[in-house]
Amino acid sequence: MSNTRTRRAFLHGCAAAVGGLGLGACVGTSGTTADGRRIVEMQLGWLVGVNQLGEVAAARLGFFDEEGLAFRIRPGGANIDGVAIVASGRYLVGETTSSPSIMLAVSQGIPIRCFAVAMQEHPYTYFSLPENPVYEPGDLVGKRIGIQPTGRVLLNALLARHQIDPSRLEVQVVGSSLVPLATGQVDVITGWATNAASLRPLGGRQLSMRLWDAGIRLYAMPYYATHRTLDEDADVLTAFLRASGRGWAFVHGNPERAVELLTDEYPILRPEDEILAARLQMPYVFNERTAEFGWGSMSPDTWSEQLETYARLGQFSTRAPRLDDLVSGAILDATRDARPHLGAPA
C-alpha cells in the first residue's frame, strides 16, 4: 500500500469519526455508559466469527461487566479500513487477521502498536489432494497454485526462503472458496486451516502444508491500539485483556457452550461449522508457549523474523519499522498473573 493511500485512509477514518461521534473521537475519547462503565469497542478487520469466540463468551458471561467495561464488537468488511478507524481514535481496540497488516501500517507512520495476539501460530495453509500431493515447499514445483490477492507476498517469501524459482510454478488468483481445488482448476490452494466452512468442499481429503511449518512465521488475530491509548488508557486495555483471557479460558474448557453463545449472538453462523472450527482453532490459541507465558503472549523473535522477511522482500515502501515501533509488552506485563496459563486441550 502506498504512503499516500495509507495516509488518505487514516484521514478518511478520522473524518468518519468526527461525523459519527463528534470531534472528541479523533483524540481518543470513548465515553462511559450511564452506570459508569467505560465503553470499549473492538474494531475488526473482517466479519465476526469463531476468531472472536473468547470475546463473545466474555461479553455474554459478564466478564467485561465485572471489569467495569461495556464491550462491543464492530465488524469490518471489504470496504472498511479497521486500522485507519482505530488510528483515528474512534475505537480503543482493534483486531486484524494477520500481523503483516500492523507491520505495513506502522511502516507508513500510522500510530499503532500490537499489545497481544489471540493465536500463537498462523493457520495459513497450502492445501492439496492425495492424488497430487504437496508435503513440502519443493513439491510446489510444476503445480498450479491458487492464491488470494493478498497471498502473493507470502508465496514469494516461501519461495525465496526455499530457493525455488517462481517461474517453475503457475500462479492463479482465486477467491476465498476452496472449490477450485476440489474441481481440479488448481493443484494447490491457500486458506486457513481453522476455517471449517471453507474446508467443507474438500470432504476431509485435503493434505496440509502450513506456512508456519515451512519457515514463514506470522501471527494471526493480533490486538492493537494507538500510542495514545497505550499511554493514557493502559488501565482500560489491561481490564480488556483480563476479561478476554477469561473468555478464551472458558472456550478452552467449554468449546461447545462457547459456540452456543456465539451463534446465539450471531444466528447467521452455522453451529456445526463453528464447533468444528473451534476445535481446529484451539491448538493455535493455546500451546506450550501459552502454558508458560499465558494466553495472548508474543515472542520478540517471531516479530523480528517477520520484519526481516518483509524487509528482504521490499514490502516497506518508506522504512522498515523497528521492533519497538511495532509492539508494546506493557499490557501483557500488567496482566501476567491474570491471563490463563493453559496448553493445548487434550
Side-chain angles (χ1 to χ4, degrees), residues 227-269:
H227 299 174
R228 179 166 186 158
T229 298
L230 285 161
D231 290 340
E232 298 182 2
D233 289 306
D235 58 332
V236 178
L237 295 181
T238 298
F240 162 80
L241 207 61
R242 282 196 301 259
S244 292
R246 288 181 66 191
W248 281 108
F250 180 83
V251 177
H252 183 282
N254 307 273
E256 290 84 3
R257 177 58 184 148
V259 167
E260 287 180 13
L261 297 174
L262 176 70
T263 53
D264 284 348
E265 191 76 16
Y266 300 95
I268 194 171
L269 299 174

Side-chain angles (χ1 to χ4, degrees), residues 252-335:
H252 183 282
N254 307 273
E256 290 84 3
R257 177 58 184 148
V259 167
E260 287 180 13
L261 297 174
L262 176 70
T263 53
D264 284 348
E265 191 76 16
Y266 300 95
I268 194 171
L269 299 174
R270 290 166 50 105
E272 57 270 35
D273 286 341
E274 303 309 314
I275 289 172
L276 177 56
R279 291 172 180 154
L280 293 171
Q281 182 191 63
M282 280 298 95
Y284 291 92
V285 178
F286 293 100
N287 61 12
E288 65 279 358
R289 180 176 176 81
T290 57
E292 181 175 359
F293 298 104
W295 169 86
S297 62
M298 304 181 286
S299 165
D301 290 343
T302 299
W303 276 111
S304 295
E305 284 182 25
Q306 296 175 61
L307 283 169
E308 181 183 348
T309 296
Y310 268 64
R312 188 172 64 248
L313 292 170
Q315 292 302 299
F316 302 122
S317 60
T318 54
R319 63 177 181 88
R322 299 172 305 153
L323 181 61
D324 288 345
D325 298 329
L326 196 62
V327 299
S328 170
I331 309 305
L332 288 172
D333 289 344
T335 57

